[in-house]
Amino acid sequence: MVLKELQNIFHIELDAIYGQHEVDSLFYLCTEYYLNIARIQLTLEPELAITKPETETFFKALEHLKQQQPIQYLLGETEFYGLPFKVNENVLIPRPETEELVDLIIKGHSQQNKVSKLKILDIGTGSGCIAISLVKNLPNAKVYALDISKEALKVAKQNAKLNNVEITFIEANIIEVAENSSLWEDVASREKGFLFDVIVSNPPYVRNLEKQEIKPNVLDNEPHLALFVDDDNPLVFYKAITDFAINNLKPKGHLYFEINQYLGEDTKQLLVDAKFKDVELLKDLNGNDRMLKGEKI
Ligand code: GLN
């Protein structure tokens, strides 16, 4: 079949769901992944034909896309901060907002990284996208990444290998660890007095009451463990991580969060109450409160 024809079929079947522009992107991602054919090649050779088995692969992908399965899970990979990442249903698909958080940390600590070996902890690492992009761009840093999910850690470990970086992975429940410091010493095999320069987290923060805003491709496919919190205690992870940071950050160490845009002021207040200084709420590219930073005194 000629690829152009296949592209037309994608448009006929998917435009109503995704819009024409997005369907083009999905189609080009498929041609790159399945055929190793770049977008430009398609434009230059409109009559490019593919074999029957190749055509079948595209029709299979089309069926999944019709059911609104995320293309990143379908292909098993995505890109974050210019780096390749494997993903599956056990980890969130990395979001552009999180790239902004990573960028903020890299810009804030590049100078410091030149003179000292920064110790960084990423809590709730998922695919490992934050931890791995940080160590790639702050190459002196020693990065630790924690998650409660064994399955997520498997993906994160694969991604560390894929990107050729060393990360120390820790399987633990941050709520428990925050309540019990000896547990932390056990799980992290850390001696007392081991402190971090930077702690970062993008924990679950979507309230059940916000479910109607979440698109079906996210709701039906991405891990709820990584997304949702109870309506009556939405800052549970922020509270635990802030408590943990009080005990495990160096003086002048920094805490960074990705946050729920509707809870900016409340989340900020947590850090203010915990006596962090220079607490700053920052907006993402869509103009929503999305990042929070503070310095331990
Ligand atoms: N930003 C993600 C979403 O809206 C949520 C990420 C999270 O809960 N940490 O789907």
Side-chain angles (χ1 to χ4, degrees), residues 38-70:
R39 188 179 184 139
I40 179 78
Q41 223 173 317
L42 254 174
T43 321
L44 296 175
E45 286 181 70
E47 292 305 311
L48 209 65
I50 60 171
T51 64
K52 196 152 184 269
E54 284 169 342
T55 310
E56 275 162 17
T57 308
F58 271 78
F59 276 110
K60 257 192 215 136
L62 180 60
E63 279 316 303
H64 289 291
L65 290 170
K66 264 201 217 165
Q67 286 156 26
Q68 305 211 35
Q69 284 179 17

PDB file of all heavy atoms in Angstrom, residues 38-70:
ATOM      1  N   ALA A  38      11.526   8.979   8.036  1.00  0.00           N
ATOM      2  CA  ALA A  38      11.308  10.302   8.626  1.00  0.00           C
ATOM      3  C   ALA A  38      10.213  11.036   7.857  1.00  0.00           C
ATOM      4  O   ALA A  38       9.942  10.751   6.687  1.00  0.00           O
ATOM      5  CB  ALA A  38      12.597  11.097   8.599  1.00  0.00           C
ATOM      6  N   ARG A  39       9.622  11.985   8.543  1.00  0.00           N
ATOM      7  CA  ARG A  39       8.536  12.798   7.992  1.00  0.00           C
ATOM      8  C   ARG A  39       8.893  13.395   6.627  1.00  0.00           C
ATOM      9  O   ARG A  39       8.117  13.347   5.673  1.00  0.00           O
ATOM     10  CB  ARG A  39       8.299  13.907   9.021  1.00  0.00           C
ATOM     11  CG  ARG A  39       7.137  14.741   8.764  1.00  0.00           C
ATOM     12  CD  ARG A  39       7.006  15.783   9.860  1.00  0.00           C
ATOM     13  NE  ARG A  39       5.800  16.507   9.599  1.00  0.00           N
ATOM     14  CZ  ARG A  39       4.942  16.889  10.519  1.00  0.00           C
ATOM     15  NH1 ARG A  39       5.164  16.628  11.774  1.00  0.00           N
ATOM     16  NH2 ARG A  39       3.858  17.541  10.187  1.00  0.00           N
ATOM     17  N   ILE A  40      10.103  13.902   6.539  1.00  0.00           N
ATOM     18  CA  ILE A  40      10.547  14.595   5.324  1.00  0.00           C
ATOM     19  C   ILE A  40      10.564  13.654   4.117  1.00  0.00           C
ATOM     20  O   ILE A  40      10.213  14.025   3.005  1.00  0.00           O
ATOM     21  CB  ILE A  40      11.933  15.267   5.548  1.00  0.00           C
ATOM     22  CG1 ILE A  40      12.449  15.988   4.307  1.00  0.00           C
ATOM     23  CG2 ILE A  40      12.981  14.289   6.025  1.00  0.00           C
ATOM     24  CD1 ILE A  40      11.797  17.319   4.109  1.00  0.00           C
ATOM     25  N   GLN A  41      10.915  12.383   4.388  1.00  0.00           N
ATOM     26  CA  GLN A  41      10.991  11.397   3.314  1.00  0.00           C
ATOM     27  C   GLN A  41       9.611  11.180   2.681  1.00  0.00           C
ATOM     28  O   GLN A  41       9.481  11.004   1.473  1.00  0.00           O
ATOM     29  CB  GLN A  41      11.470  10.073   3.903  1.00  0.00           C
ATOM     30  CG  GLN A  41      12.502   9.373   3.035  1.00  0.00           C
ATOM     31  CD  GLN A  41      13.057   8.162   3.774  1.00  0.00           C
ATOM     32  OE1 GLN A  41      13.349   8.242   4.965  1.00  0.00           O
ATOM     33  NE2 GLN A  41      13.169   7.063   3.072  1.00  0.00           N
ATOM     34  N   LEU A  42       8.610  11.224   3.529  1.00  0.00           N
ATOM     35  CA  LEU A  42       7.229  11.044   3.065  1.00  0.00           C
ATOM     36  C   LEU A  42       6.796  12.195   2.157  1.00  0.00           C
ATOM     37  O   LEU A  42       6.099  11.999   1.166  1.00  0.00           O
ATOM     38  CB  LEU A  42       6.292  11.020   4.269  1.00  0.00           C
ATOM     39  CG  LEU A  42       5.747   9.674   4.649  1.00  0.00           C
ATOM     40  CD1 LEU A  42       4.968   9.767   5.941  1.00  0.00           C
ATOM     41  CD2 LEU A  42       4.831   9.190   3.542  1.00  0.00           C
ATOM     42  N   THR A  43       7.236  13.377   2.521  1.00  0.00           N
ATOM     43  CA  THR A  43       6.894  14.548   1.712  1.00  0.00           C
ATOM     44  C   THR A  43       7.615  14.477   0.366  1.00  0.00           C
ATOM     45  O   THR A  43       7.052  14.820  -0.672  1.00  0.00           O
ATOM     46  CB  THR A  43       7.328  15.842   2.451  1.00  0.00           C
ATOM     47  OG1 THR A  43       7.057  15.657   3.832  1.00  0.00           O
ATOM     48  CG2 THR A  43       6.628  17.059   1.929  1.00  0.00           C
ATOM     49  N   LEU A  44       8.865  14.011   0.417  1.00  0.00           N
ATOM     50  CA  LEU A  44       9.652  13.971  -0.819  1.00  0.00           C
ATOM     51  C   LEU A  44       9.229  12.831  -1.733  1.00  0.00           C
ATOM     52  O   LEU A  44       9.341  12.926  -2.948  1.00  0.00           O
ATOM     53  CB  LEU A  44      11.148  13.828  -0.479  1.00  0.00           C
ATOM     54  CG  LEU A  44      11.763  14.993   0.288  1.00  0.00           C
ATOM     55  CD1 LEU A  44      13.200  14.711   0.672  1.00  0.00           C
ATOM     56  CD2 LEU A  44      11.668  16.286  -0.530  1.00  0.00           C
ATOM     57  N   GLU A  45       8.760  11.745  -1.143  1.00  0.00           N
ATOM     58  CA  GLU A  45       8.366  10.568  -1.940  1.00  0.00           C
ATOM     59  C   GLU A  45       6.920  10.184  -1.642  1.00  0.00           C
ATOM     60  O   GLU A  45       6.667   9.192  -0.960  1.00  0.00           O
ATOM     61  CB  GLU A  45       9.242   9.368  -1.558  1.00  0.00           C
ATOM     62  CG  GLU A  45      10.658   9.412  -2.069  1.00  0.00           C
ATOM     63  CD  GLU A  45      11.407   8.142  -1.646  1.00  0.00           C
ATOM     64  OE1 GLU A  45      11.089   7.063  -2.188  1.00  0.00           O
ATOM     65  OE2 GLU A  45      12.259   8.246  -0.744  1.00  0.00           O
ATOM     66  N   PRO A  46       5.970  10.931  -2.174  1.00  0.00           N
ATOM     67  CA  PRO A  46       4.573  10.678  -1.818  1.00  0.00           C
ATOM     68  C   PRO A  46       4.072   9.288  -2.249  1.00  0.00           C
ATOM     69  O   PRO A  46       3.098   8.797  -1.701  1.00  0.00           O
ATOM     70  CB  PRO A  46       3.809  11.790  -2.538  1.00  0.00           C
ATOM     71  CG  PRO A  46       4.754  12.428  -3.468  1.00  0.00           C
ATOM     72  CD  PRO A  46       6.136  12.094  -3.063  1.00  0.00           C
ATOM     73  N   GLU A  47       4.760   8.674  -3.195  1.00  0.00           N
ATOM     74  CA  GLU A  47       4.294   7.366  -3.688  1.00  0.00           C
ATOM     75  C   GLU A  47       4.953   6.193  -2.954  1.00  0.00           C
ATOM     76  O   GLU A  47       4.805   5.034  -3.350  1.00  0.00           O
ATOM     77  CB  GLU A  47       4.562   7.226  -5.203  1.00  0.00           C
ATOM     78  CG  GLU A  47       3.712   8.151  -6.065  1.00  0.00           C
ATOM     79  CD  GLU A  47       2.208   8.000  -5.797  1.00  0.00           C
ATOM     80  OE1 GLU A  47       1.724   6.853  -5.776  1.00  0.00           O
ATOM     81  OE2 GLU A  47       1.549   9.023  -5.553  1.00  0.00           O
ATOM     82  N   LEU A  48       5.673   6.484  -1.897  1.00  0.00           N
ATOM     83  CA  LEU A  48       6.357   5.451  -1.126  1.00  0.00           C
ATOM     84  C   LEU A  48       5.381   4.340  -0.712  1.00  0.00           C
ATOM     85  O   LEU A  48       4.332   4.606  -0.142  1.00  0.00           O
ATOM     86  CB  LEU A  48       6.922   6.104   0.133  1.00  0.00           C
ATOM     87  CG  LEU A  48       8.182   5.494   0.740  1.00  0.00           C
ATOM     88  CD1 LEU A  48       9.361   5.629  -0.204  1.00  0.00           C
ATOM     89  CD2 LEU A  48       8.493   6.200   2.052  1.00  0.00           C
ATOM     90  N   ALA A  49       5.751   3.086  -1.047  1.00  0.00           N
ATOM     91  CA  ALA A  49       4.835   1.971  -0.740  1.00  0.00           C
ATOM     92  C   ALA A  49       5.403   1.093   0.366  1.00  0.00           C
ATOM     93  O   ALA A  49       6.612   1.037   0.567  1.00  0.00           O
ATOM     94  CB  ALA A  49       4.619   1.144  -2.000  1.00  0.00           C
ATOM     95  N   ILE A  50       4.526   0.425   1.107  1.00  0.00           N
ATOM     96  CA  ILE A  50       4.996  -0.496   2.149  1.00  0.00           C
ATOM     97  C   ILE A  50       4.398  -1.883   1.946  1.00  0.00           C
ATOM     98  O   ILE A  50       3.396  -2.047   1.252  1.00  0.00           O
ATOM     99  CB  ILE A  50       4.666   0.036   3.577  1.00  0.00           C
ATOM    100  CG1 ILE A  50       3.162   0.219   3.767  1.00  0.00           C
ATOM    101  CG2 ILE A  50       5.408   1.313   3.868  1.00  0.00           C
ATOM    102  CD1 ILE A  50       2.775   0.536   5.205  1.00  0.00           C
ATOM    103  N   THR A  51       5.026  -2.878   2.590  1.00  0.00           N
ATOM    104  CA  THR A  51       4.614  -4.276   2.394  1.00  0.00           C
ATOM    105  C   THR A  51       3.312  -4.579   3.139  1.00  0.00           C
ATOM    106  O   THR A  51       2.868  -3.795   3.978  1.00  0.00           O
ATOM    107  CB  THR A  51       5.694  -5.224   2.951  1.00  0.00           C
ATOM    108  OG1 THR A  51       5.774  -5.004   4.363  1.00  0.00           O
ATOM    109  CG2 THR A  51       7.049  -4.970   2.319  1.00  0.00           C
ATOM    110  N   LYS A  52       2.778  -5.759   2.863  1.00  0.00           N
ATOM    111  CA  LYS A  52       1.519  -6.155   3.512  1.00  0.00           C
ATOM    112  C   LYS A  52       1.677  -6.290   5.038  1.00  0.00           C
ATOM    113  O   LYS A  52       0.861  -5.731   5.777  1.00  0.00           O
ATOM    114  CB  LYS A  52       1.052  -7.481   2.899  1.00  0.00           C
ATOM    115  CG  LYS A  52      -0.377  -7.780   3.210  1.00  0.00           C
ATOM    116  CD  LYS A  52      -1.015  -8.643   2.127  1.00  0.00           C
ATOM    117  CE  LYS A  52      -2.477  -8.857   2.422  1.00  0.00           C
ATOM    118  NZ  LYS A  52      -2.730 -10.057   3.214  1.00  0.00           N
ATOM    119  N   PRO A  53       2.719  -6.998   5.515  1.00  0.00           N
ATOM    120  CA  PRO A  53       2.875  -7.070   6.987  1.00  0.00           C
ATOM    121  C   PRO A  53       3.029  -5.703   7.627  1.00  0.00           C
ATOM    122  O   PRO A  53       2.507  -5.449   8.715  1.00  0.00           O
ATOM    123  CB  PRO A  53       4.152  -7.903   7.179  1.00  0.00           C
ATOM    124  CG  PRO A  53       4.431  -8.548   5.878  1.00  0.00           C
ATOM    125  CD  PRO A  53       3.726  -7.801   4.805  1.00  0.00           C
ATOM    126  N   GLU A  54       3.743  -4.809   6.949  1.00  0.00           N
ATOM    127  CA  GLU A  54       3.906  -3.447   7.493  1.00  0.00           C
ATOM    128  C   GLU A  54       2.548  -2.739   7.562  1.00  0.00           C
ATOM    129  O   GLU A  54       2.219  -2.074   8.548  1.00  0.00           O
ATOM    130  CB  GLU A  54       4.875  -2.642   6.619  1.00  0.00           C
ATOM    131  CG  GLU A  54       6.336  -3.022   6.848  1.00  0.00           C
ATOM    132  CD  GLU A  54       7.307  -2.434   5.811  1.00  0.00           C
ATOM    133  OE1 GLU A  54       6.866  -2.010   4.716  1.00  0.00           O
ATOM    134  OE2 GLU A  54       8.504  -2.431   6.097  1.00  0.00           O
ATOM    135  N   THR A  55       1.768  -2.924   6.502  1.00  0.00           N
ATOM    136  CA  THR A  55       0.435  -2.309   6.483  1.00  0.00           C
ATOM    137  C   THR A  55      -0.397  -2.832   7.642  1.00  0.00           C
ATOM    138  O   THR A  55      -1.103  -2.080   8.329  1.00  0.00           O
ATOM    139  CB  THR A  55      -0.281  -2.633   5.144  1.00  0.00           C
ATOM    140  OG1 THR A  55       0.612  -2.310   4.087  1.00  0.00           O
ATOM    141  CG2 THR A  55      -1.567  -1.847   5.001  1.00  0.00           C
ATOM    142  N   GLU A  56      -0.292  -4.134   7.896  1.00  0.00           N
ATOM    143  CA  GLU A  56      -1.061  -4.735   9.000  1.00  0.00           C
ATOM    144  C   GLU A  56      -0.678  -4.127  10.354  1.00  0.00           C
ATOM    145  O   GLU A  56      -1.524  -3.888  11.206  1.00  0.00           O
ATOM    146  CB  GLU A  56      -0.859  -6.255   9.023  1.00  0.00           C
ATOM    147  CG  GLU A  56      -1.826  -6.938   8.072  1.00  0.00           C
ATOM    148  CD  GLU A  56      -1.423  -8.349   7.705  1.00  0.00           C
ATOM    149  OE1 GLU A  56      -0.568  -8.934   8.412  1.00  0.00           O
ATOM    150  OE2 GLU A  56      -1.949  -8.848   6.697  1.00  0.00           O
ATOM    151  N   THR A  57       0.623  -3.901  10.532  1.00  0.00           N
ATOM    152  CA  THR A  57       1.082  -3.270  11.779  1.00  0.00           C
ATOM    153  C   THR A  57       0.414  -1.914  11.966  1.00  0.00           C
ATOM    154  O   THR A  57      -0.027  -1.569  13.064  1.00  0.00           O
ATOM    155  CB  THR A  57       2.622  -3.069  11.729  1.00  0.00           C
ATOM    156  OG1 THR A  57       3.215  -4.300  11.385  1.00  0.00           O
ATOM    157  CG2 THR A  57       3.168  -2.574  13.040  1.00  0.00           C
ATOM    158  N   PHE A  58       0.319  -1.164  10.866  1.00  0.00           N
ATOM    159  CA  PHE A  58      -0.324   0.157  10.950  1.00  0.00           C
ATOM    160  C   PHE A  58      -1.811   0.038  11.289  1.00  0.00           C
ATOM    161  O   PHE A  58      -2.337   0.823  12.070  1.00  0.00           O
ATOM    162  CB  PHE A  58      -0.148   0.918   9.624  1.00  0.00           C
ATOM    163  CG  PHE A  58       1.115   1.729   9.587  1.00  0.00           C
ATOM    164  CD1 PHE A  58       2.332   1.122   9.342  1.00  0.00           C
ATOM    165  CD2 PHE A  58       1.084   3.095   9.818  1.00  0.00           C
ATOM    166  CE1 PHE A  58       3.507   1.860   9.320  1.00  0.00           C
ATOM    167  CE2 PHE A  58       2.255   3.843   9.805  1.00  0.00           C
ATOM    168  CZ  PHE A  58       3.466   3.229   9.555  1.00  0.00           C
ATOM    169  N   PHE A  59      -2.463  -0.964  10.709  1.00  0.00           N
ATOM    170  CA  PHE A  59      -3.892  -1.119  11.010  1.00  0.00           C
ATOM    171  C   PHE A  59      -4.119  -1.506  12.473  1.00  0.00           C
ATOM    172  O   PHE A  59      -5.092  -1.101  13.078  1.00  0.00           O
ATOM    173  CB  PHE A  59      -4.554  -2.107  10.041  1.00  0.00           C
ATOM    174  CG  PHE A  59      -4.957  -1.438   8.754  1.00  0.00           C
ATOM    175  CD1 PHE A  59      -4.294  -1.709   7.559  1.00  0.00           C
ATOM    176  CD2 PHE A  59      -5.988  -0.503   8.753  1.00  0.00           C
ATOM    177  CE1 PHE A  59      -4.648  -1.058   6.377  1.00  0.00           C
ATOM    178  CE2 PHE A  59      -6.347   0.151   7.570  1.00  0.00           C
ATOM    179  CZ  PHE A  59      -5.683  -0.119   6.385  1.00  0.00           C
ATOM    180  N   LYS A  60      -3.189  -2.292  12.999  1.00  0.00           N
ATOM    181  CA  LYS A  60      -3.288  -2.655  14.426  1.00  0.00           C
ATOM    182  C   LYS A  60      -3.144  -1.398  15.293  1.00  0.00           C
ATOM    183  O   LYS A  60      -3.920  -1.164  16.214  1.00  0.00           O
ATOM    184  CB  LYS A  60      -2.182  -3.653  14.794  1.00  0.00           C
ATOM    185  CG  LYS A  60      -2.707  -5.054  14.901  1.00  0.00           C
ATOM    186  CD  LYS A  60      -1.685  -5.982  15.541  1.00  0.00           C
ATOM    187  CE  LYS A  60      -1.819  -7.342  14.886  1.00  0.00           C
ATOM    188  NZ  LYS A  60      -0.539  -7.960  14.555  1.00  0.00           N
ATOM    189  N   ALA A  61      -2.130  -0.599  14.959  1.00  0.00           N
ATOM    190  CA  ALA A  61      -1.912   0.644  15.715  1.00  0.00           C
ATOM    191  C   ALA A  61      -3.149   1.533  15.623  1.00  0.00           C
ATOM    192  O   ALA A  61      -3.586   2.128  16.615  1.00  0.00           O
ATOM    193  CB  ALA A  61      -0.695   1.377  15.182  1.00  0.00           C
ATOM    194  N   LEU A  62      -3.740   1.575  14.435  1.00  0.00           N
ATOM    195  CA  LEU A  62      -4.926   2.397  14.211  1.00  0.00           C
ATOM    196  C   LEU A  62      -6.063   1.974  15.141  1.00  0.00           C
ATOM    197  O   LEU A  62      -6.751   2.822  15.731  1.00  0.00           O
ATOM    198  CB  LEU A  62      -5.354   2.265  12.742  1.00  0.00           C
ATOM    199  CG  LEU A  62      -6.579   3.053  12.296  1.00  0.00           C
ATOM    200  CD1 LEU A  62      -6.386   4.545  12.480  1.00  0.00           C
ATOM    201  CD2 LEU A  62      -6.911   2.760  10.829  1.00  0.00           C
ATOM    202  N   GLU A  63      -6.245   0.679  15.305  1.00  0.00           N
ATOM    203  CA  GLU A  63      -7.296   0.176  16.209  1.00  0.00           C
ATOM    204  C   GLU A  63      -7.068   0.677  17.639  1.00  0.00           C
ATOM    205  O   GLU A  63      -7.987   1.131  18.301  1.00  0.00           O
ATOM    206  CB  GLU A  63      -7.325  -1.356  16.210  1.00  0.00           C
ATOM    207  CG  GLU A  63      -8.072  -1.965  15.033  1.00  0.00           C
ATOM    208  CD  GLU A  63      -9.404  -1.261  14.749  1.00  0.00           C
ATOM    209  OE1 GLU A  63     -10.242  -1.189  15.668  1.00  0.00           O
ATOM    210  OE2 GLU A  63      -9.563  -0.757  13.612  1.00  0.00           O
ATOM    211  N   HIS A  64      -5.818   0.579  18.111  1.00  0.00           N
ATOM    212  CA  HIS A  64      -5.500   1.039  19.468  1.00  0.00           C
ATOM    213  C   HIS A  64      -5.711   2.550  19.602  1.00  0.00           C
ATOM    214  O   HIS A  64      -6.215   3.029  20.613  1.00  0.00           O
ATOM    215  CB  HIS A  64      -4.045   0.705  19.827  1.00  0.00           C
ATOM    216  CG  HIS A  64      -3.808  -0.757  20.030  1.00  0.00           C
ATOM    217  ND1 HIS A  64      -4.331  -1.451  21.091  1.00  0.00           N
ATOM    218  CD2 HIS A  64      -3.126  -1.666  19.291  1.00  0.00           C
ATOM    219  CE1 HIS A  64      -3.965  -2.719  21.006  1.00  0.00           C
ATOM    220  NE2 HIS A  64      -3.237  -2.885  19.918  1.00  0.00           N
ATOM    221  N   LEU A  65      -5.327   3.275  18.569  1.00  0.00           N
ATOM    222  CA  LEU A  65      -5.477   4.735  18.616  1.00  0.00           C
ATOM    223  C   LEU A  65      -6.958   5.125  18.626  1.00  0.00           C
ATOM    224  O   LEU A  65      -7.353   6.086  19.284  1.00  0.00           O
ATOM    225  CB  LEU A  65      -4.762   5.393  17.429  1.00  0.00           C
ATOM    226  CG  LEU A  65      -3.235   5.337  17.494  1.00  0.00           C
ATOM    227  CD1 LEU A  65      -2.613   5.800  16.174  1.00  0.00           C
ATOM    228  CD2 LEU A  65      -2.701   6.209  18.638  1.00  0.00           C
ATOM    229  N   LYS A  66      -7.767   4.338  17.924  1.00  0.00           N
ATOM    230  CA  LYS A  66      -9.222   4.589  17.924  1.00  0.00           C
ATOM    231  C   LYS A  66      -9.788   4.450  19.324  1.00  0.00           C
ATOM    232  O   LYS A  66     -10.733   5.125  19.702  1.00  0.00           O
ATOM    233  CB  LYS A  66      -9.901   3.557  17.027  1.00  0.00           C
ATOM    234  CG  LYS A  66     -10.168   4.027  15.626  1.00  0.00           C
ATOM    235  CD  LYS A  66     -11.268   3.136  15.076  1.00  0.00           C
ATOM    236  CE  LYS A  66     -11.119   2.804  13.675  1.00  0.00           C
ATOM    237  NZ  LYS A  66     -11.905   1.713  13.176  1.00  0.00           N
ATOM    238  N   GLN A  67      -9.189   3.527  20.090  1.00  0.00           N
ATOM    239  CA  GLN A  67      -9.641   3.355  21.483  1.00  0.00           C
ATOM    240  C   GLN A  67      -8.958   4.343  22.427  1.00  0.00           C
ATOM    241  O   GLN A  67      -8.995   4.174  23.646  1.00  0.00           O
ATOM    242  CB  GLN A  67      -9.359   1.928  21.934  1.00  0.00           C
ATOM    243  CG  GLN A  67     -10.316   0.933  21.312  1.00  0.00           C
ATOM    244  CD  GLN A  67      -9.730  -0.461  21.259  1.00  0.00           C
ATOM    245  OE1 GLN A  67      -8.863  -0.799  22.065  1.00  0.00           O
ATOM    246  NE2 GLN A  67     -10.174  -1.247  20.305  1.00  0.00           N
ATOM    247  N   GLN A  68      -8.290   5.306  21.851  1.00  0.00           N
ATOM    248  CA  GLN A  68      -7.625   6.368  22.609  1.00  0.00           C
ATOM    249  C   GLN A  68      -6.508   5.867  23.517  1.00  0.00           C
ATOM    250  O   GLN A  68      -6.271   6.426  24.582  1.00  0.00           O
ATOM    251  CB  GLN A  68      -8.649   7.168  23.423  1.00  0.00           C
ATOM    252  CG  GLN A  68      -9.750   7.715  22.556  1.00  0.00           C
ATOM    253  CD  GLN A  68     -10.310   9.015  23.077  1.00  0.00           C
ATOM    254  OE1 GLN A  68      -9.598   9.833  23.632  1.00  0.00           O
ATOM    255  NE2 GLN A  68     -11.585   9.233  22.879  1.00  0.00           N
ATOM    256  N   GLN A  69      -5.866   4.803  23.102  1.00  0.00           N
ATOM    257  CA  GLN A  69      -4.684   4.392  23.862  1.00  0.00           C
ATOM    258  C   GLN A  69      -3.529   5.321  23.504  1.00  0.00           C
ATOM    259  O   GLN A  69      -3.327   5.626  22.331  1.00  0.00           O
ATOM    260  CB  GLN A  69      -4.318   2.947  23.523  1.00  0.00           C
ATOM    261  CG  GLN A  69      -5.250   1.963  24.194  1.00  0.00           C
ATOM    262  CD  GLN A  69      -4.901   0.546  23.841  1.00  0.00           C
ATOM    263  OE1 GLN A  69      -3.824   0.253  23.359  1.00  0.00           O
ATOM    264  NE2 GLN A  69      -5.847  -0.342  24.077  1.00  0.00           N
ATOM    265  N   PRO A  70      -2.785   5.779  24.514  1.00  0.00           N
ATOM    266  CA  PRO A  70      -1.704   6.728  24.213  1.00  0.00           C
ATOM    267  C   PRO A  70      -0.644   6.119  23.287  1.00  0.00           C
ATOM    268  O   PRO A  70      -0.238   4.981  23.475  1.00  0.00           O
ATOM    269  CB  PRO A  70      -1.102   7.015  25.593  1.00  0.00           C
ATOM    270  CG  PRO A  70      -2.153   6.627  26.573  1.00  0.00           C
ATOM    271  CD  PRO A  70      -2.932   5.532  25.942  1.00  0.00           C
TER     272      PRO A  70
END
